[in-house]
Amino acid sequence: IRFDWAMKRLLRDKANFAVIEGLLTTLLNEKITICKLLESESNQEDEDNKYNRVDILAEDSKGRLLLFEIQNNNEFAYFQRMLFGVSKLVTEYIRRGQGYENIRKIYSINIVYFSLGAGTDYVYHGTTEFRGIHDNDVLKLSPFQRAKFEVDSVSQLYPEYFILRVNDFNKWSRVPLEQWIYFLNTGEIPDDADAPGLSEARE
């Protein structure tokens, strides 16, 4: 069973959340607990608006939104597609009249089975920071903002992107993230796999 097929069918069952939680825990390097899956197709404001259809949209125990996209076919504008998906979530998950401090944290996890861009790595992580053009310093939060938002840096307020380019990765490893990439590419889980979620994926 390919992971993209399972993602769209089997993994929507609450009993199978441990698989997705394992991938997220490995990727974000913190224990992730999924509370619920959300509607994965956005509403159109009018007939000219574009739908935002994602493979899985989940909410974790901290109220963060986790957007999963699996792309099998080559798409030259995929970077813009990632931006569109996140932007729609930013606006749809804040109610009219709420302050901007209620904008939700979003993680965009993109598993691509084609050569996206030009690079040598198989996992890329994108964040937003503001860097001075004269002193090259990174703009920080004030002590009040850190206490108010309960984060340490400006980048933690913004969406974060992960791109997993799995096509060319086929070596087994003891590193949990590499075990996941191997599985996503080959569909195989060796007996000595110990990355979070892979035992549940095998089952």
Side-chain angles (χ1 to χ4, degrees):
I1 297 176
R2 282 182 56 96
F3 187 77
D4 57 340
W5 185 91
M7 175 75 81
K8 295 171 183 176
R9 294 168 177 82
L10 301 178
L11 301 187
R12 293 184 178 278
D13 187 336
K14 188 175 180 63
N16 296 323
F17 281 3
V19 177
I20 305 174
E21 289 171 344
L23 173 56
L24 287 167
T25 294
T26 303
L27 198 58
L28 302 181
N29 201 29
E30 64 172 288
K31 176 62 178 171
I32 300 296
T33 301
I34 292 177
C35 294
K36 59 184 175 181
L37 297 186
L38 304 171
E39 176 56 50
S40 57
E41 183 168 303
S42 66
N43 298 318
Q44 287 179 302
E45 296 286 330
D46 59 58
E47 63 181 13
D48 293 327
N49 277 6
K50 196 170 178 64
Y51 276 118
N52 181 32
R53 177 71 185 174
V54 300
D55 290 318
I56 280 187
L57 176 60
E59 180 183 306
D60 74 359
S61 57
K62 297 181 179 179
R64 300 175 297 190
L65 300 177
L66 308 158
L67 183 162
F68 278 91
E69 276 274 28
I70 297 178
Q71 180 68 18
N72 288 297
N73 301 319
N74 188 33
E75 184 170 331
F76 78 95
Y78 191 79
F79 289 114
Q80 292 94 321
R81 175 175 170 169
M82 289 165 47
L83 174 63
F84 175 80
V86 166
S87 299
K88 290 284 280 186
L89 290 184
V90 168
T91 57
E92 288 181 355
Y93 281 88
I94 184 169
R95 293 190 299 275
R96 181 174 296 177
Q98 282 189 312
Y100 293 118
E101 67 273 12
N102 293 293
I103 289 177
R104 307 275 286 274
K105 174 71 176 184
I106 299 171
Y107 289 99
S108 172
I109 297 95
N110 301 271
I111 303 170
V112 298
Y113 288 88
F114 67 98
S115 297
L116 175 61
T120 58
D121 211 322
Y122 51 93
V123 178
Y124 288 88
H125 179 209
T127 62
T128 300
E129 66 177 17
F130 298 91
R131 189 171 290 276
I133 62 172
H134 298 101
D135 298 330
N136 202 39
D137 67 315
V138 175
L139 186 62
K140 298 179 176 64
L141 295 172
S142 69
F144 170 78
Q145 289 172 317
R146 288 200 303 271
K148 177 71 174 177
F149 304 134
E150 299 181 340
V151 296
D152 296 320
S153 66
V154 174
S155 64
Q156 291 176 274
L157 299 174
Y158 281 78
E160 295 185 34
Y161 299 87
F162 289 90
I163 299 173
L164 283 60
R165 304 194 319 164
V166 301
N167 247 9
D168 299 323
F169 192 89
N170 58 7
K171 62 179 182 179
W172 185 242
S173 167
R174 301 308 308 158
V175 177
L177 183 55
E178 292 186 353
Q179 291 184 11
W180 262 102
I181 303 300
Y182 177 88
F183 164 56
L184 293 174
N185 183 26
T186 66
E188 300 172 3
I189 304 175
D191 292 337
D192 60 343
D194 55 7
L198 284 185
S199 61
E200 290 84 355
R202 183 193 293 112
E203 187 178 326

